[in-house]
């Protein structure tokens, strides 16, 4: 089970998402009011721990090594998506997106 929660008021995420171990999952985030200089941040939080930064980007899509996946950023930057290629049971967590300078 992979859970998703909204990181702050300026972004919108689905409240939850699920997949089976080894099956890829796409976690999307809308940030329609993003400013030109805002970065896009994705965090992961395990139970009993604080959130840890997974990846951030200003404009471009990026590959992730751990967990294996990719951050995709829309051309207009109003949305982004975190694709986890082969999630394992240990990747079950809350995934947050946020925008800011």
């Amino acid at each position: 089970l992979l859970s998703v929660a909204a990181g702050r008021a300026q972004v919108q995420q689905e409240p939850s998402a699920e997949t089976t171990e080894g099956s890829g999952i796409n976690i999307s985030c809308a940030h329609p009011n993003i400013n030109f200089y805002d970065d896009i941040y994705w965090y992961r939080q395990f139970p009993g721990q604080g959130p840890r930064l997974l990846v951030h980007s200003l404009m471009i899509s990026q590959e992730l090594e751990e967990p294996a996946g990719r951050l995709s950023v829309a051309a207009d930057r109003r949305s982004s998506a975190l694709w986890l290629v082969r999630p394992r049971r240990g990747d079950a967590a809350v995934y947050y997106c946020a925008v800011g300078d």
Side-chain angles (χ1 to χ4, degrees), residues 64-88:
L64 277 79
E65 291 186 10
E66 181 56 38
R70 180 175 179 81
L71 170 64
S72 297
V73 179
D76 63 5
R77 302 182 62 241
R78 293 183 179 179
S79 65
S80 62
L82 190 67
W83 170 250
L84 303 182
V85 179
R86 291 175 300 279
R88 304 180 303 270

Side-chain angles (χ1 to χ4, degrees), residues 23-69:
S23 298
I25 186 170
N26 198 58
I27 306 170
S28 59
C29 180
H31 23 83
N33 300 317
I34 192 168
N35 294 321
F36 183 78
Y37 291 108
D38 282 342
D39 273 354
I40 300 164
Y41 299 87
W42 280 85
Y43 297 87
R44 176 166 71 174
Q45 185 173 18
F46 292 112
Q49 300 181 19
R52 297 191 65 177
L53 182 64
L54 283 177
V55 63
H56 80 278
S57 179
L58 181 62
M59 302 279 294
I60 60 172
S61 300
Q62 292 188 28
E63 300 294 324
L64 277 79
E65 291 186 10
E66 181 56 38

Side-chain angles (χ1 to χ4, degrees), residues 8-27:
R8 59 188 248 193
Q10 292 161 323
V11 303
Q12 293 113 37
Q13 292 179 260
E14 293 298 317
S16 64
E18 295 183 13
T19 189
T20 56
E21 189 171 24
S23 298
I25 186 170
N26 198 58
I27 306 170

Side-chain angles (χ1 to χ4, degrees), residues 2 29 35 91 96:
L2 300 178
C29 180
N35 294 321
D91 293 317
Y96 299 91

